[in-house]
Amino acid sequence: MEKTKNTFPNDFLWGGAVAACQVEGAYDVDGRGLSTSDVHMYSKNLDRSNVSKEGGGTRSEILGYMEDDKNYYPKRYGIDFYHTYKEDLALLAEMGFGTFRTSISWSRIFPKGDEKEPNEEGLAFYDRLIHEIRKNGMEPIITISHYDMPLHLVLEYGGFVNRELIGFFVRYASAVLDRFKDKVKYWIVFNQINLLQYCSWGSIGLLDDYAGDLEEAKFQAVHHQFVANALVYEYGKKLNPDMQIGTMVADCTCYPNSCKPEDVVLTMKRNRMQYFYTDVQLRGEYPAYAVRFFEENGWNIKTEAGDEEVIRKNRQDFLAISYYSSKVIDGDCCGMNPRDVIQNPNLKPTPWEWRMDPLGFYNCLSQYWDRYQVPMMIAENGFGAIDTLEENGEIHDDYRIDYYRQHISQMKECIRDGADIFAYCAWGPIDLVSSSTAEMSKRYGFIYVDQDDEGRGSKARSRKDSFYWYKKVIASNGEDLD
């Protein structure tokens, strides 16, 4: 009998993750086209505890945002990483990062999305960026699509509900894989492929006034993403068999509100529909419970000959997971929609109601490992908070350190249970524009960026207390969490 592991593997990858649409800026530089992220307006009247969706709108609203010169659209500007990436990566290297996850902006490579040839200036930027990541001793982890679809593909084709998007996406991904096949080992094709009800705008490009059943359209779109993902996997493996290509989900597993059978069974069904996405991509087929769910809702998910085979033959190499908090399901007031949850009264509230739950992290990782037994990467984990810059320039963020300490401890418990976890990417190691609210004041970073919600500030970078703490964690390979 093999002994259990009591520590992180010697080759464990410690690092952090960002997204192009939240950091790069330079939205109109070097041939980049408009993206779905570029029309997410910042609102001063935001209800942080009840964010209904991440951007989007009706067709007329989106056209209005494109012409709007009065309001502020933060993701167009990010933190200007497009021009500061060398200095920013040097700060991450100072912490000892062994890996850095970022994404490629689709509209930098194909500005409209349906062109025949890629934009060389866009590819050249990522040549420089990936070179700099590797130069700083970090293994690049690249996400091919992270809520950053060319806006033209939404307005002209209707986004991923349209099957034509499969071909456009595969052309884009193939151009990227061709270019970086020998420079990038780890690839995530779609960021958080399961967040249809939260991020249908950025993920699948679905307009609010889509002419049809919106829920059916979301699952039709994700089927097209399943097929596209499998085709990209197939292409990448032929290019370089050593590539590791994985799927990524946001953890949305929930607790039952009580031991009432109604709460327990509804929670089981809800959690099972979260595993649906990984069942398809890691087991290679649509599970019967999902097919029944579609039928009972009257949804007709259209497939074509060959779809099932390509999905079956191209099961993903690893599972990437994002985890922030947990939610609860009450059979008396909740249904099957993933947005239909209640808050856990046993956990402390936060301004954004992402309640800290380290044991939920242990639970989610354990459930995924037990179900699939495939290598896992923590693609995102972090704590968004309102930080205070002191007069002496210091930022004391003990709350963030406490969050990471508890979550890394629970990740270690999973490894002791036998889970194969090979990387940990803290979300937003440098402050960035929030995906959900388009705020800067929702800060995740170990590095503070002097920029407010409307883009004002010097953009100077400052080390927070957590910067030095995470540096110590990395140096000790996760052993020193004090």
Side-chain angles (χ1 to χ4, degrees):
M1 183 182 298
E2 188 175 346
K3 291 185 177 181
T4 59
K5 298 174 183 176
N6 290 317
T7 188
F8 291 95
N10 290 331
D11 58 353
F12 191 80
L13 295 172
W14 295 95
V18 301
C21 63
Q22 293 169 255
V23 297
E24 282 183 6
Y27 77 102
D28 56 355
V29 171
D30 293 336
R32 182 184 180 278
L34 279 179
S35 155
T36 49
S37 63
D38 297 326
V39 290
H40 188 177
M41 181 175 65
Y42 168 67
S43 172
K44 295 179 180 178
N45 300 316
L46 178 72
D47 180 1
R48 286 173 168 164
S49 64
N50 185 28
V51 179
S52 60
K53 62 179 182 176
E54 296 190 7
T58 64
R59 173 178 291 273
S60 63
E61 286 173 337
I62 298 302
L63 292 172
Y65 299 152
M66 293 169 66
E67 300 299 325
D68 183 9
D69 59 2
K70 295 180 180 178
N71 293 294
Y72 182 58
Y73 295 82
K75 294 177 185 176
R76 297 181 186 182
Y77 308 98
I79 58 169
D80 200 30
F81 183 76
Y82 192 83
H83 297 109
T84 65
Y85 67 89
K86 289 186 178 182
E87 295 82 359
D88 292 337
L89 289 171
L91 284 167
L92 302 181
E94 183 183 333
M95 272 191 283
F97 273 33
T99 190
F100 180 65
R101 175 184 169 230
T102 189
S103 64
I104 292 177
S105 173
W106 186 350
S107 61
R108 284 203 193 282
I109 311 304
F110 287 90
K112 294 172 65 178
D114 59 0
E115 297 93 342
K116 299 295 184 183
E117 299 297 329
N119 171 34
E120 175 57 30
E121 288 179 300
L123 288 168
F125 167 70
Y126 292 108
D127 269 326
R128 298 190 296 272
L129 175 59
I130 291 170
H131 172 79
E132 197 70 18
I133 294 169
R134 294 173 62 89
K135 177 183 169 184
N136 279 280
M138 303 175 209
E139 186 78 50
I141 299 171
I142 300 298
T143 307
I144 298 176
S145 178
H146 193 138
Y147 302 163
D148 209 8
M149 188 189 310
L151 195 53
H152 174 77
L153 293 182
V154 177
L155 297 175
E156 185 66 24
Y157 297 91
F160 267 100
V161 179
N162 188 332
R163 193 177 174 95
E164 281 192 80
L165 266 285
I166 296 176
F168 295 142
F169 182 79
V170 171
R171 181 185 297 160
Y172 154 60
S174 299
V176 168
L177 292 171
D178 285 341
R179 187 72 163 228
F180 306 118
K181 62 182 181 295
D182 299 320
K183 298 177 181 178
V184 176
K185 179 179 180 180
Y186 296 106
W187 297 87
I188 296 169
V189 182
F190 289 104
N191 176 70
Q192 300 180 149
I193 196 168
N194 63 316
L195 286 192
L196 299 180
Q197 277 72 22
Y198 290 89
C199 309
S200 60
W201 173 246
S203 179
I204 58 177
L206 188 63
L207 291 163
D208 287 354
D209 56 349
Y210 171 78
D213 187 315
L214 281 168
E215 295 304 308
E216 179 185 66
K218 290 172 185 177
F219 285 105
Q220 182 65 65
V222 86
H223 173 73
H224 294 155
Q225 289 188 332
F226 287 152
V227 175
N229 198 322
L231 291 171
V232 169
Y233 180 95
E234 184 176 62
Y235 185 84
K237 286 295 190 176
K238 288 178 181 176
L239 271 182
N240 183 348
D242 293 332
M243 279 184 187
Q244 295 295 294
I245 303 173
T247 186
M248 179 184 171
V249 293
D251 178 61
C252 293
T253 54
C254 294
Y255 302 134
N257 192 43
S258 75
C259 58
K260 284 196 314 182
E262 292 82 2
D263 289 357
V264 174
V265 171
L266 178 58
T267 303
M268 178 274 292
K269 289 183 176 181
R270 282 278 300 275
N271 288 342
R272 195 167 56 178
M273 277 308 295
Q274 289 306 310
Y275 295 130
F276 152 68
Y277 303 88
T278 40
D279 279 356
V280 172
Q281 296 197 281
L282 295 173
R283 291 177 168 175
E285 61 183 6
Y286 271 74
Y289 65 78
V291 175
R292 177 185 174 185
F293 179 66
F294 299 150
E295 290 175 350
E296 290 181 347
N297 280 280
W299 299 334
N300 179 26
I301 310 304
K302 299 180 178 65
T303 65
E304 291 191 2
D307 285 1
E308 292 183 7
E309 182 179 10
V310 76
I311 290 171
R312 179 176 56 80
K313 286 185 174 180
N314 295 288
R315 287 173 281 183
Q316 307 296 288
D317 293 323
F318 64 86
L319 171 60
I321 299 170
S322 66
Y323 178 87
Y324 294 94
S325 61
S326 64
K327 295 289 197 318
V328 172
I329 293 174
D330 186 323
D332 291 334
C333 61
C334 297
M336 284 297 293
N337 190 308
R339 295 189 64 91
D340 205 358
V341 293
I342 63 174
Q343 290 292 351
N344 191 331
N346 299 295
L347 303 176
K348 294 179 180 179
T350 69
W352 293 272
E353 282 294 17
W354 291 20
R355 300 189 179 190
M356 187 174 82
D357 182 10
L359 286 174
F361 193 35
Y362 174 78
N363 176 63
C364 105
L365 295 178
S366 299
Q367 299 289 351
Y368 279 111
W369 172 251
D370 291 347
R371 193 176 183 95
Y372 300 113
Q373 301 277 303
V374 298
M376 297 191 297
M377 167 200 303
I378 312 308
E380 296 177 20
N381 178 230
F383 187 67
I386 298 172
D387 294 337
T388 301
L389 181 64
E390 305 292 345
E391 289 184 5
N392 62 3
E394 295 179 349
I395 303 100
H396 304 301
D397 56 342
D398 290 347
Y399 40 85
R400 183 169 290 109
I401 293 172
D402 183 52
Y403 178 96
Y404 279 115
R405 177 186 293 117
Q406 294 191 54
H407 283 74
I408 291 172
S409 294
Q410 293 302 321
M411 177 172 59
K412 185 176 180 179
E413 290 299 309
C414 291
I415 290 174
R416 294 186 67 189
D417 287 344
D420 180 3
I421 303 173
F422 65 91
Y424 178 81
C425 298
W427 175 249
I430 182 168
D431 289 346
L432 40 62
V433 176
S434 168
S435 178
S436 58
T437 65
E439 293 174 285
M440 273 299 295
S441 53
K442 186 181 184 183
R443 297 180 181 274
Y444 287 89
F446 306 117
I447 301 164
Y448 185 90
V449 178
D450 181 29
Q451 178 175 307
D452 69 11
D453 289 333
E454 297 182 82
R456 297 179 296 247
S458 68
K459 295 182 174 56
R461 276 54 166 163
S462 305
R463 298 165 182 81
K464 304 178 188 179
D465 287 354
S466 58
F467 178 100
Y468 302 102
W469 178 84
Y470 194 47
K471 180 178 181 179
K472 181 177 62 174
V473 171
I474 295 172
S476 68
N477 195 28
E479 290 303 306
D480 188 353
L481 299 178
D482 292 334

